[in-house]
Amino acid sequence: MNPFYFGSSAAPIFGVLHPPHSSSAAGGVVLCPAVWDEYGPSHRPFRLLAQRLARAGFPVLRFDYRGSGDSFGDEHAASVAQWREDIVMAVQELKDLGQVEQVSLVGLRFGATLAALVAATDVRVRDLVLWDPVVRGADWLSELRHRHADLVMNVLRLAPTSVQEDGLVGFPCAPRLDNEVSAIDLGAVSDLSAERVLLLTSEERPGYRDLRRHLGRLGSQVQSQHVAVQPIWEERALWSNTLVPVEVVGHIVEWLTSP
């Protein structure tokens, strides 16, 4: 496990490279994390996933978006375009460091949404794993606002007037970013470069069934798999970093290593 910085000198991106234990796998894997309050609970599962993929022969790169985690940058200046650019830079960095030509993307929640958008227009990827993706940005923001209000009023016991309009569960969300996220709908993606797509869900939602059908019409080989575990970003999990869905991690490794 090798931590380092890459990208621009003005706002370098923090990454962790997991070198492969062998050279048996074709290509590398970039892990695209969740954002905002859903980032924290994903840290340990992603680290475990990276370790297991490295044992399977993949060079793996974990990273933090600029303005988040250990990366530099202003969190108030975040944008969907910047997050997508961070993924593109991570893909190129892994190609250079891992000396691989093909890269697969694994994304969780909005990280999965960003990975799908990148695979649609920005870079060509081998495989794409969408782990409980955000299908419609407007619906997700509504969930976050409900979670934020519940945190302020029922957990922190503050007055309803303390609910800020420009923040979501302790993280800034400027109106511009709010509009960008609200406009996203994976059902409107018109192209996809991935040869294979795994839609991995831990809860049943009507949007997932529609998304699978839509992605299948784009020409990729799409597999849908439901693993009945507690979603790691739910309220009970948000206060603990000990929850690791090993069943999901194992399924991702098995799918990426399969022909």
Side-chain angles (χ1 to χ4, degrees):
M1 187 173 72
N2 304 319
F4 68 107
Y5 283 96
F6 65 95
S8 70
S9 58
I13 299 172
F14 177 75
V16 177
L17 177 67
H18 295 257
H21 291 203
S22 66
S23 58
S24 58
V29 181
V30 169
L31 304 186
C32 306
V35 301
W36 294 330
D37 70 313
E38 296 179 346
Y39 166 85
S42 70
H43 186 267
R44 291 190 68 238
F46 262 26
R47 185 175 64 184
L48 176 63
L49 176 59
Q51 292 170 344
R52 293 195 176 181
L53 286 171
R55 292 193 197 107
F58 293 96
V60 184
L61 178 60
R62 294 187 288 125
F63 73 97
D64 293 335
Y65 304 108
R66 280 173 289 176
S68 69
D70 291 308
S71 291
F72 286 71
D74 184 359
E75 63 179 358
H76 295 273
S79 69
V80 171
Q82 178 178 287
W83 289 335
R84 289 173 61 171
E85 184 179 290
D86 293 344
I87 295 175
V88 172
M89 287 194 290
V91 169
Q92 187 58 53
E93 191 70 20
L94 183 60
K95 286 183 177 181
D96 295 340
L97 293 177
Q99 298 182 329
V100 293
E101 295 183 359
Q102 294 182 318
V103 171
S104 298
L105 297 178
V106 178
L108 172 65
R109 296 295 286 154
F110 199 67
T113 306
L114 294 168
L117 296 175
V118 167
T121 60
D122 299 332
V123 296
R124 174 167 291 278
V125 301
R126 181 173 182 267
D127 295 326
L128 176 64
V129 178
L130 306 178
W131 179 0
D132 283 303
V134 172
V135 179
R136 297 185 69 253
D139 293 341
W140 180 55
L141 288 177
S142 179
E143 293 178 20
L144 292 179
R145 290 191 179 95
H146 177 78
R147 189 186 302 165
H148 180 85
D150 180 70
L151 172 66
V152 170
M153 292 182 285
N154 298 325
V155 178
L156 301 179
R157 305 291 184 181
L158 299 176
T161 53
S162 300
V163 180
Q164 298 180 3
E165 295 296 329
D166 60 347
L168 289 172
V169 203
F171 293 84
C173 179
R176 173 180 52 81
L177 179 57
D178 187 291
N179 292 334
E180 291 175 351
V181 174
S182 296
I184 292 175
D185 182 356
L186 290 186
V189 170
S190 59
D191 192 16
L192 203 59
S193 67
E195 299 174 10
R196 301 190 305 163
V197 179
L198 173 62
L199 177 59
L200 190 58
T201 62
S202 57
E203 57 181 358
E204 297 285 1
R205 294 192 179 195
Y208 290 149
R209 292 193 294 270
D210 295 339
L211 178 62
R212 185 192 186 285
R213 288 193 291 266
H214 175 69
L215 295 178
R217 290 192 290 267
L218 298 181
S220 298
Q221 178 186 340
V222 182
Q223 178 184 342
S224 180
Q225 180 68 40
H226 177 67
V227 182
V229 297
Q230 179 188 337
I232 61 177
W233 59 88
E234 284 190 345
E235 182 178 354
R236 286 176 295 170
L238 289 176
W239 306 108
S240 172
N241 285 330
T242 62
L243 186 64
V244 177
V246 292
E247 301 95 334
V248 176
V249 170
H251 192 84
I252 293 174
V253 174
E254 180 181 359
W255 187 79
L256 285 173
T257 55
S258 65

